[in-house]
Amino acid sequence: MLCQQCGFQLPENSKFCHKCGSAMANNAQQAEQAQPLPQPQPQPQQQIQQQPENAPVVGENKSKIGIILGIVGSVIAVGGIIFVLFITTCRYDSCFGRKIIGGYYCSKHACIDPDCTNGGYSHWYKDVPIYCGIHLCFADENCLERSLDGGSFCLDHTCIELGCLERSNLELNGRRYKNYCITHTCRKSDCTQRRFDGSGSCEIHVCKEPDCLSDSSYEIGDRYYENYCITHTCHKTDCTQRKFDGSLWCEKHTCKEFDCFYETLSNSEYCLLHN
Ligand SMILES: [Zn+2]
Ligand SMILES: [Zn+2]
Ligand SMILES: [Zn+2]
Ligand SMILES: [Zn+2]
Ligand SMILES: [Zn+2]
Ligand SMILES: [Zn+2]
Ligand SMILES: [Zn+2]
Ligand SMILES: [Zn+2]
């Protein structure tokens, strides 16, 4: 076909002249109808390049706005989905379980304390719901009990002394602590009894002298102190009796002479002076 304006030779059904840009009025309708057909036609490209009118530009703007709105819409939609997932999905790494009501974790990953919103602690390798780091007994990894309020250990691993929250039930430096913590356990190495108030020893292992809180029942060198502390034990080696008042020796090993406090001779009741 020929352009009616400039006479340029055009392919059949051209909408516009490739040379002068004039619209081919009688073909436009046909072309529109023909558009869905699979015939390959170069017109649309030409149309954009050569059409000086404003109309297509407005259309372009409209479609740009449409695209932008579409993008914004999908961003909002995706954001919304992410947000919904965020507020409903367990916070635990790579867990998509539903949060428990009022919590941040799913029932598998939430602290099993009903009033706690923390995640359970290191249970991922055991795969059982347990207490969080605050509520789990800290004694050892095998204890899954709840720690006492304000403390770090469960009932079994806490000193039974009233008000004491220290660890009990442990082994340290080769010795065993059972019901009481280190501070409240008798100093004597194989004893697990409670310390006598103000003393380092239990009631059995504290000096028998009234008001004396020193340790008894221990060895120094080759000497053994049994019932009394060093201060209150007779100076005679192998004797574990209480010192006689005013003397360094016990009643048996103090000279029987009145007001004499010397040590008796062996096989005698008197000292060297009074023998
Ligand atoms: Zn979870
Ligand atoms: Zn907790
Ligand atoms: Zn425990
Ligand atoms: Zn204690
Ligand atoms: Zn003791
Ligand atoms: Zn004593
Ligand atoms: Zn003695
Ligand atoms: Zn004497």
Side-chain angles (χ1 to χ4, degrees):
M1 63 186 282
L2 292 173
C3 172
Q4 289 144 343
Q5 293 296 314
C6 67
F8 188 72
Q9 178 70 46
L10 292 169
E12 281 306 306
N13 296 325
S14 291
K15 270 187 187 174
F16 300 97
C17 173
H18 294 188
K19 198 181 172 194
C20 71
S22 303
M24 304 292 110
N26 49 341
N27 285 333
Q29 231 181 343
Q30 272 182 18
E32 256 178 46
Q33 283 166 355
Q35 247 178 354
L37 296 174
Q39 291 174 270
Q41 289 177 3
Q43 291 92 329
Q45 279 176 4
Q46 302 294 331
Q47 182 184 348
I48 290 159
Q49 277 169 13
Q50 296 186 6
Q51 213 176 30
E53 291 98 325
N54 286 336
V57 178
V58 170
E60 219 174 290
N61 280 349
K62 272 186 185 165
S63 66
K64 267 187 189 166
I65 290 166
I67 289 165
I68 290 166
L69 285 177
I71 290 169
V72 169
S74 23
V75 165
I76 290 170
V78 169
I81 289 164
I82 291 171
F83 182 69
V84 167
L85 282 177
F86 176 75
I87 59 165
T88 59
T89 303
C90 174
R91 276 193 191 174
Y92 208 80
D93 262 0
S94 65
C95 175
F96 291 98
R98 267 191 95 77
K99 284 178 179 174
I100 56 167
I101 294 158
Y104 302 108
Y105 297 87
C106 70
S107 56
K108 198 172 131 189
H109 292 130
C111 173
I112 57 176
D113 185 284
D115 297 324
C116 181
T117 55
N118 292 332
Y121 178 76
S122 70
H123 52 297
W124 38 271
Y125 70 95
K126 292 193 172 90
D127 212 32
V128 282
I130 59 168
Y131 290 103
C132 69
I134 292 164
H135 290 119
L136 182 66
C137 173
F138 205 61
D140 61 65
E141 59 176 24
N142 295 317
C143 184
L144 300 179
E145 296 299 310
R146 188 188 188 285
S147 58
L148 299 182
D149 288 327
S152 306
F153 307 104
C154 71
L155 196 62
D156 243 23
H157 286 116
T158 300
C159 175
I160 63 170
E161 181 73 17
L162 198 71
C164 181
L165 293 168
E166 294 299 312
R167 168 90 194 263
S168 68
N169 209 343
L170 73 153
E171 239 153 273
L172 190 74
N173 301 329
R175 75 162 286 188
R176 172 121 194 91
Y177 297 87
K178 208 174 149 209
N179 295 321
Y180 294 93
C181 68
I182 296 167
T183 322
H184 287 117
T185 300
C186 173
R187 265 203 288 248
K188 187 154 168 64
S189 61
D190 53 356
C191 180
T192 57
Q193 296 300 304
R194 179 185 179 277
R195 278 192 192 185
F196 190 60
D197 288 327
S199 167
S201 300
C202 69
E203 228 156 342
I204 300 158
H205 296 124
V206 74
C207 175
K208 299 281 173 289
E209 184 71 15
D211 297 332
C212 179
L213 297 171
S214 300
D215 299 352
S216 66
S217 305
Y218 62 96
E219 278 176 27
I220 290 184
D222 51 5
R223 260 220 81 154
Y224 186 66
Y225 296 87
E226 200 179 347
N227 297 309
Y228 296 90
C229 67
I230 302 177
T231 318
H232 292 115
T233 300
C234 171
H235 268 210
K236 185 144 180 88
T237 320
D238 298 336
C239 179
T240 58
Q241 294 303 299
R242 177 184 177 276
K243 270 184 189 171
F244 186 56
D245 292 326
S247 169
L248 289 175
W249 292 271
C250 67
E251 200 164 4
K252 187 185 156 201
H253 294 124
T254 300
C255 175
K256 296 293 168 290
E257 186 68 24
F258 180 72
D259 260 5
C260 176
F261 296 110
Y262 287 127
E263 186 187 7
T264 55
L265 295 170
S266 41
N267 306 320
S268 167
E269 294 212 310
Y270 294 91
C271 68
L272 192 63
L273 214 72
H274 297 109
N275 200 22

